[in-house]
Amino acid sequence: MGAAAYALMADMAQGDRPWAIPWPCCYEFLSAVTNRRIWKNRATPPHKAWQQFQAWSGSPSNRMIGETEDFQTVLQHFVDRPRVVGGGIHDARIAAICVAHGVEALLTRDRDFSLFSELRTQDPFATG
């Protein structure tokens, strides 16, 4: 899966088709890949993780997206849902950022985003 994910990101970063990364996903990426509790001796050194982030954010076809002027209203609609608690709040924030920016589809394997029907999701590694 790691090689497929790397290839997907490289294709997007080197391509001409517009794509975006929500800022909270950047923080999560940096946090996850450098986490020694998760990766033990294979954690990515922070400077290497930062280099990767810079490569993605520096792609001419990429735009980094964050909270908009109407973000609070969009987020409130997501947070008011019964099952949006705990870590779901983080997902709601990402979904709200995407919706506020008119993102076509969020590439994710996380099924929790199905709580936000306003945002189309796509598993980039699904077969069939």
Side-chain angles (χ1 to χ4, degrees):
M1 183 62 60
Y6 183 86
L8 173 70
M9 293 298 292
D11 286 347
M12 288 191 303
Q14 296 167 7
D16 294 331
R17 187 167 181 222
W19 63 292
I21 303 174
W23 274 105
C25 295
C26 299
Y27 310 135
E28 188 169 358
F29 165 77
L30 293 168
S31 175
V33 301
T34 61
N35 189 324
R36 290 184 184 103
R37 286 189 197 157
I38 296 171
W39 300 107
K40 309 273 187 261
N41 296 332
R42 299 178 313 159
T44 303
H47 74 279
K48 291 259 188 209
W50 187 255
Q51 287 174 342
Q52 185 59 66
F53 163 72
Q54 285 184 309
W56 292 332
S57 64
S59 166
S61 56
N62 178 39
R63 64 187 176 119
M64 305 302 294
I65 57 176
E67 287 83 353
T68 60
E69 194 171 305
D70 63 340
F71 173 77
Q72 187 173 353
T73 303
V74 178
L75 180 61
Q76 179 184 0
H77 291 298
F78 292 164
V79 171
D80 281 345
R81 296 176 186 182
R83 293 184 11 223
V84 179
V85 296
I89 300 295
H90 176 69
D91 294 344
R93 180 180 181 206
I94 293 169
I97 288 171
C98 290
V99 168
H101 282 275
V103 168
E104 286 180 27
L106 175 66
L107 301 182
T108 183
R109 301 201 81 194
D110 187 339
R111 293 186 201 129
D112 291 339
F113 283 98
S114 66
L115 293 171
F116 314 108
S117 59
E118 300 87 342
L119 176 63
R120 187 171 78 83
T121 60
Q122 179 182 342
D123 180 344
F125 306 111
T127 56

